[in-house]
Amino acid sequence: MNPYVLYVHGEGRERWKKGDLCVFDLTLFGTGAERAGVYLDALQAAEQKGWGAARLTFRLRQIVDANSGKVIFAGGKSWIRNLSPGPLQIKERNVSYASLFFDTPLRIISGERLFDRLPFEMFIQFLIRRISLLTKAHMDFELEWNKEELLEQARGIQTLDEYWREIPFSRYSMNQKDGKLELTSKTGWVLYEGDLSQFVPILEVGKYLRVGKGATIGFGHYEVFYDK
């Protein structure tokens, strides 16, 4: 599992022409944040080789730290000292409703099948598994939490409403005969009700780390909204 995730603005745009502007977020965590300069070097190297399987020519215009607003790269110059990792600040909330909106493809696979519905227990199960694996792989500590107790409490959270739309998605893969890997997924939203207060930190971390398969390439990104 990689210590980074991508989020490309533009709702899954696949075709690009000369003059188009591609804006994306690159979130680093753990060991990735500690070696942030490596990713800056990689982006500059990619500028020489081209972007993606088609090796599209592009120019790296600007990199900005989303939290501090400081410029990291612009006009061919870099300010590497502005790459400073920091802790994620999460506000405690006493909430009874949480609405999750997934704006990138979501691939939660259970029993080799793409999910039909997303009960809170299933969502939390996949989310805490991802958080646990990433923490163990890329940080100097291992989270200690009672997963069985969390899942038991998650079963008490009800789904009030949800809507999902299946979308086709394919990406280049050198391991496929036709060079395409089909990744059927869904986008949509879900509204949960119950004692959600203790799950707020997990939901907030999930906004940055994503959930489901393909998280590194931008899948599983969501926004969450609360009643309080």
Side-chain angles (χ1 to χ4, degrees), residues 102-107 123 206-207 209-215 218-222:
F102 293 83
D103 60 348
T104 67
L106 176 62
R107 280 178 55 80
F123 175 70
K207 292 195 313 183
L209 301 186
R210 320 295 170 80
V211 65
K213 294 182 176 294
F219 284 21
H221 176 270
Y222 66 88

Side-chain angles (χ1 to χ4, degrees), residues 82-160:
N82 288 340
L83 280 170
S84 55
L88 179 62
Q89 303 292 334
I90 297 177
K91 178 184 176 182
E92 292 186 0
R93 295 171 177 264
N94 293 317
V95 299
S96 300
Y97 296 87
S99 177
L100 279 65
F101 174 71
F102 293 83
D103 60 348
T104 67
L106 176 62
R107 280 178 55 80
I108 288 183
I109 307 295
S110 180
E112 299 185 355
R113 291 185 56 187
L114 184 66
F115 77 100
D116 291 318
R117 298 185 180 279
L118 193 60
F120 192 70
E121 179 190 358
M122 176 188 288
F123 175 70
I124 287 296
Q125 181 179 12
F126 277 83
L127 189 52
I128 63 177
R129 180 176 182 271
R130 176 164 171 78
I131 294 173
S132 297
L133 291 174
L134 286 171
T135 302
K136 184 176 181 179
H138 301 296
M139 296 184 182
D140 57 1
F141 67 92
E142 186 172 349
L143 285 173
E144 295 182 2
W145 49 14
N146 191 326
K147 296 180 182 179
E148 292 303 322
E149 183 178 342
L150 276 174
L151 293 178
E152 178 63 30
Q153 293 169 345
R155 294 187 188 102
I157 306 299
Q158 297 182 355
T159 301
L160 284 187

Side-chain angles (χ1 to χ4, degrees), residues 35-82:
R35 300 194 298 267
V38 173
Y39 294 87
L40 174 58
D41 293 340
L43 288 171
Q44 291 179 277
E47 188 177 16
Q48 305 301 319
K49 296 182 179 180
W51 189 268
R55 298 301 180 191
L56 298 175
T57 57
F58 74 97
R59 180 182 177 185
L60 185 61
R61 291 189 177 275
Q62 180 174 273
I63 301 175
V64 177
D65 185 296
N67 292 323
S68 67
K70 294 180 179 179
V71 176
I72 297 169
F73 176 90
K77 298 181 179 181
S78 59
W79 292 264
I80 195 68
R81 292 183 179 179
N82 288 340

Side-chain angles (χ1 to χ4, degrees), residues 10-31:
E11 299 184 352
R13 184 175 182 178
E14 296 182 8
R15 298 182 181 276
W16 301 86
K17 62 180 183 294
K18 185 176 181 179
D20 287 342
L21 183 65
C22 178
V23 180
F24 64 91
D25 298 335
L26 176 63
T27 302
L28 307 174
F29 42 86
T31 56

Side-chain angles (χ1 to χ4, degrees), residues 120 124 149-151 153-155 157 195-204 226:
F120 192 70
I124 287 296
E149 183 178 342
L150 276 174
L151 293 178
Q153 293 169 345
R155 294 187 188 102
I157 306 299
D195 186 4
L196 290 153
S197 301
Q198 64 178 323
F199 294 104
V200 168
I202 300 175
L203 296 175
E204 290 295 313
Y226 308 103

